[in-house]
Amino acid sequence: MEDKPDDKPGGEAVGISSGTAGGEPQARPARAADGGPEVPADDEPEAPADEEASPGPRRTERRRVLLASVAACAVLGGLLVLLPLGRGDDGPPEPAPGARAMAAVTSGVPASTTDLQALVEERERHLRRHPRDARAWAVLGTARVEQGRRLADPSAFPRAERALRTSLKVRPERNAEALRGLAALANARRDHPAARRWAEAARRLEPGQWTTYPLLIEAYRGLGDHETVDRLLDRLTRLRKDPAVMAVTAAVYRDRGWREDAAAQLADAAAATVDPAERAAYVERAGQLAWERGDLTEALHHFQEAVRLDPGQRAAQAGQGRVLAAMGRTTEALSAYRVALEKQPRPEYALELGELYTSLGMPQAAGVQYDLLRERVRRAAANGVDENLVLGRFEADHGDPRAAVRRLRAEWERQPSVAVADALGWALHRAGEHEEALGFARRATEGERGGGVRSALYAFHRGMIERELERYGAARRHLREALRINPYFSPLKVREARAALARLGEPPVESGAYVS
C-alpha cells in the first residue's frame, strides 16, 4: 500500500534536534553530538550525562561484572519459571497497577489515572538507578502524555517531552518507541502536522508495528485527509483486530456518517475487553454517538455505565450533564458539569456549561465559565497545546467574531479539518462575510468535500448562513435536518433553529407543488 508521502526525517538512523515536540524529526549521523533535553525538575530522574568515548579499564571491569550479573539473573529466571506461582483457589493474581498501565501505554489503549500514576512513579524510581534505559524514558514520557490527556492537565506535556527527548538522546537510532511517544504528545497538543511527521518516522523504522497506525490516523483526521485515513485504517485492520482497533475504526466510521456501524464497533470493543478503564472509554464513546443522534435514554445509560466502570471518566460525567440538561433535569446537569470540570477542566466543558447558564438566564454564572475557558486556553498555550478551535468557537458566539475569523483562518491553513471548516464558516457568518462562510459550511456538511459526519450543529450553522443569504428553501432544509439529527444539540441553538424556522414559515405553493 502506498500512503501519502511525507517529509522524511532521513534514513534509518533517526535523531532529534532541539526544540519542541512540534519540531520535525531531523536526520543526523550516528553518535552525533546532541544538545539534550531541558533540565529535569527536582522530583524527576536526572537525564544521563554523556560518557567518554573510550571505556577504559574501569568500564571494562564494570562490563564484566554486568555480564556476570545478567547471566546469573538468566539462570535464576529459568529456575523461577519452574516454581509454583501461588495462584491460590481464585486463579492468577491481579496485575499490579503499574503493570496494567504499562500494558495499556505500550499498546496505545486507555488506562486509569491511578494506574498511570503508579506507572510514572515506578519508571521514575527505575530511571534514578538506570538513567540510560531509553525504553524506560519512552514509557515514562508516553505515560505522562496519557496523564495529561486524562486529567486535561497541559502541564504534564513539557515533562512528557523532556522524558521522550531524553530517550532519543540515550538511543538516537532506531528508537521508534520515543518517536511514537512524540507523535502521541503532538496529537494531544492538537499539533497534527507534527504528529504526522513523528508517526511517519516511526513507521519507516517499524512498518509492521500496529501501534503506530492509530497515531497516524488521528493525525490525518486532524488534517482533514480522509483518503489517507482510509488507506491507513485498511492497513491497521490487516495488522491487528482487537478492541483498540475497533475503537479507531468506530471513529473513522463516525466521520463518514456511518453511525450504526460505528456503534457496532464500539459495542464489540467494549464486550471484548476486561479492563474497566478501557471498557469505560469505549462505553463513553458509544454514549457520544447516542447523544449525537438525539437518543437521550441510551446516551445517559452509556455515560452512567462508563462512570460506574471508571469513576475517573470525566468525559462521561460531562456527557451526563449534556443529556440531563436536554431532559430538563437542570440541577443534576449542573452538578454533573461541575464534577467534570473539577477533575478535568477542559475549556469545551466550560463553554457548554456557560451556554447552559445563559439559556437559564444566568449571565453572571455564564461569565464565570467563560472566564475559566479563557484561563484554561491561556494555560494550555503556555504548555504548547493548541486550543484555537474551541476559543474560535467561543469568540464567534460570545466575543469578537473578527478575532475568531483571524484565529480560525490560521488554524485552517495549518490543519484543515472538517471541524475547523465548520467553525471558520460560522465565524465568517457572525462577522458578516456570509458568501465566504457558505463555502466553508458546505465543506463541513457535504460528503464529497469530506464533511460526511452527521452533525446537528454543522447543519444548523449552514441553515442559518443560507437564511442570511435569502436561500430560504435550503435554509429550511438544513435547519430541519439539524433538529431531525438531534433535537437537543444545544440549549441555545435549538431555540434559534426553531425560531428561524417559524419566521421562515412554510414554502410557497405554486401549481400544487412546494417551491424550495
Side-chain angles (χ1 to χ4, degrees):
M1 178 199 70
E2 291 247 358
D3 288 335
K4 176 164 273 198
D6 197 87
D7 302 329
K8 294 189 177 181
E12 295 287 310
V14 177
I16 185 167
S17 63
S18 61
T20 67
E24 184 171 354
Q26 300 290 326
R28 57 182 173 81
R31 300 184 180 84
D34 195 317
E38 299 175 40
V39 178
D42 292 339
D43 61 342
E44 294 180 324
E46 291 290 335
D50 292 335
E51 298 181 5
E52 296 178 2
S54 175
R58 289 188 178 179
R59 286 189 62 193
T60 303
E61 182 62 28
R62 288 200 304 271
R63 191 172 296 165
R64 288 177 183 152
V65 172
L66 178 61
L67 289 173
S69 300
V70 170
C73 289
V75 172
L76 179 59
L79 291 173
L80 289 173
V81 169
L82 302 177
L83 295 177
L85 294 177
R87 297 187 178 193
D89 296 332
D90 297 326
E94 281 288 315
R100 285 197 301 265
M102 171 76 85
V105 165
T106 54
S107 58
V109 301
S112 74
T113 53
T114 53
D115 287 358
L116 284 168
Q117 183 59 32
L119 176 60
V120 165
E121 292 171 358
E122 286 176 12
R123 291 299 85 189
E124 286 177 340
R125 288 193 297 269
H126 172 84
L127 284 164
R128 290 189 185 99
R129 299 189 301 271
H130 308 284
R132 297 198 67 80
D133 187 338
R135 184 172 188 271
W137 282 110
V139 170
L140 175 61
T142 306
R144 282 185 171 149
V145 171
E146 187 63 15
Q147 272 190 320
R149 279 185 186 265
R150 287 298 308 270
L151 299 173
D153 180 10
S155 68
F157 296 148
R159 302 176 76 188
E161 184 176 350
R162 283 195 292 269
L164 292 163
R165 288 183 176 277
T166 300
S167 178
L168 279 177
K169 179 184 178 183
V170 172
R171 193 172 79 227
E173 301 168 28
R174 305 199 66 81
N175 192 345
E177 285 178 302
L179 294 173
R180 281 191 289 271
L182 286 163
L185 174 60
N187 275 328
R189 284 172 158 168
R190 294 187 180 85
D191 186 354
H192 299 300
R196 176 186 60 189
R197 291 193 294 268
W198 290 118
E200 290 288 9
R203 181 165 64 147
R204 280 189 282 273
L205 289 178
E206 295 180 350
Q209 178 56 44
W210 75 271
T211 52
T212 305
Y213 288 86
L215 299 168
L216 279 168
I217 288 170
E218 184 177 354
Y220 279 106
R221 286 176 67 210
L223 294 168
D225 189 343
H226 303 288
E227 291 183 5
T228 301
V229 166
D230 290 346
R231 291 198 296 270
L232 290 167
L233 181 63
D234 182 64
R235 173 66 171 154
L236 173 60
T237 53
R238 290 202 305 269
L239 286 171
R240 183 92 169 184
K241 294 186 186 299
D242 71 354
V245 174
M246 295 174 195
V248 173
T249 303
V252 176
Y253 285 178
R254 181 256 181 198
D255 290 350
R256 294 175 182 169
W258 303 349
R259 289 195 308 212
E260 292 78 10
D261 297 301
Q265 289 286 328
L266 286 171
D268 290 345
T273 186
V274 296
D275 180 76
E278 184 180 357
R279 178 178 291 180
Y282 304 149
V283 172
E284 187 276 330
R285 293 176 204 175
Q288 291 287 359
L289 285 178
W291 162 254
E292 288 176 3
R293 67 174 182 268
D295 189 335
L296 301 185
T297 302
E298 184 175 343
L300 184 60
H301 169 74
H302 284 312
F303 291 140
Q304 290 174 334
E305 176 65 8
V307 173
R308 186 191 68 79
L309 289 165
D310 178 8
Q313 242 302 337
R314 306 303 173 184
Q317 287 172 322
Q320 287 184 48
R322 213 171 292 132
V323 175
L324 290 165
M327 289 178 164
R329 295 160 61 178
T330 306
T331 302
E332 294 171 83
L334 294 174
S335 176
Y337 269 122
R338 291 187 194 113
V339 170
L341 276 163
E342 181 183 357
K343 298 295 185 181
Q344 194 185 55
R346 300 187 65 88
E348 52 265 43
Y349 300 165
L351 178 57
E352 289 181 26
L353 181 53
E355 291 188 339
L356 177 56
Y357 278 128
T358 300
S359 73
L360 296 171
M362 303 171 67
Q364 288 184 324
V368 170
Q369 296 305 317
Y370 298 153
D371 289 342
L372 174 62
L373 180 150
R374 293 187 185 95
E375 188 276 328
R376 295 299 302 179
V377 168
R378 283 194 295 269
R379 183 180 175 195
N383 289 282
V385 180
D386 177 359
E387 293 285 11
N388 282 318
L389 180 56
V390 67
L391 184 58
R393 285 173 170 161
F394 165 74
E395 291 287 359
D397 279 322
H398 308 287
D400 181 351
R402 295 201 174 275
V405 168
R406 290 192 296 272
R407 189 177 298 277
L408 291 166
R409 277 196 196 280
E411 193 75 358
W412 175 256
E413 290 298 320
R414 205 167 67 88
Q415 35 194 22
S417 69
V418 170
V420 176
D422 168 72
L424 177 54
W426 185 244
L428 285 163
H429 162 69
R430 298 282 293 176
E433 305 292 336
H434 310 298
E435 287 287 355
E436 187 180 5
L438 183 57
F440 284 100
R442 285 172 172 162
R443 283 179 177 269
T445 53
E446 294 180 3
E448 60 272 20
R449 297 169 182 250
V453 61
R454 297 196 66 202
S455 166
L457 180 64
Y458 296 178
F460 164 77
H461 285 164
R462 180 169 176 175
M464 295 297 283
I465 293 167
E466 288 166 333
R467 175 176 169 271
E468 190 67 33
L469 292 169
E470 299 182 359
R471 303 186 182 195
Y472 298 130
R476 286 189 195 90
R477 189 163 58 251
H478 287 112
L479 291 171
R480 286 172 176 163
E481 181 185 357
L483 295 172
R484 188 166 54 249
I485 292 171
N486 181 0
Y488 319 99
F489 68 93
S490 163
L492 289 177
K493 293 179 174 59
V494 164
R495 294 178 185 175
E496 290 183 48
R498 295 190 187 282
L501 279 171
R503 286 192 294 271
L504 285 168
E506 291 298 323
V509 178
E510 292 183 7
S511 303
Y514 284 122
V515 175
S516 62

